Amino acid sequence: MNGLMKVHNIDPHDFLAFVHEVDLACVPPDPALVAALGQLEGRKIVHTNGSVRHAERLLDHLGLSAAFTGIIDIVAADFEPKPALIGYRLLLRRPFRFGPIPH
């Protein structure tokens, strides 16, 4: 996406909205994963090259929303995708509330 923005002046918000409107049925929920994440101590944060909306849809679909306290998406990372260090640095500076992701 970064290249599309720089080379073709693609609007990143429009692009993310378009590419993430996908059928999530191909990603089946995994109760064992839900249970395992529920047993892990500490805050868990999603760090994604996708959008917050896409991460929320996927977490809801998988039954994992309550396991995470926040989402850092590509927008919050100033459109610098992982593994670029800037996104990780922004993640470490970002304040998070404790508790499940609000909807």
Side-chain angles (χ1 to χ4, degrees):
M1 180 176 70
N2 203 291
L4 291 172
M5 291 168 51
K6 290 177 182 177
V7 176
H8 299 289
N9 293 322
I10 299 294
D11 180 281
H13 302 282
D14 291 343
F15 178 81
L16 289 170
F18 176 76
V19 299
H20 288 144
E21 285 304 316
V22 296
D23 181 5
L24 300 177
C26 66
V27 184
D30 184 347
L33 177 60
V34 174
L37 283 171
Q39 293 178 349
L40 292 177
E41 293 184 24
R43 295 183 297 166
K44 292 171 278 307
I45 300 167
V46 173
H47 186 203
T48 178
N49 283 342
S51 66
V52 166
R53 175 168 160 60
H54 179 62
E56 288 174 340
R57 285 184 64 228
L58 191 54
L59 291 172
D60 286 345
H61 172 74
L62 296 174
L64 293 171
S65 293
F68 292 89
T69 59
I71 299 170
I72 295 289
D73 71 345
I74 192 72
V75 178
D78 293 332
F79 299 102
E80 292 291 338
K82 296 182 295 181
L85 289 178
I86 191 168
Y88 293 101
R89 289 183 181 125
L90 290 169
L91 181 143
L92 293 173
R93 286 190 220 127
R94 189 169 180 106
F96 284 100
R97 293 191 328 267
F98 288 94
I101 298 170
H103 292 303

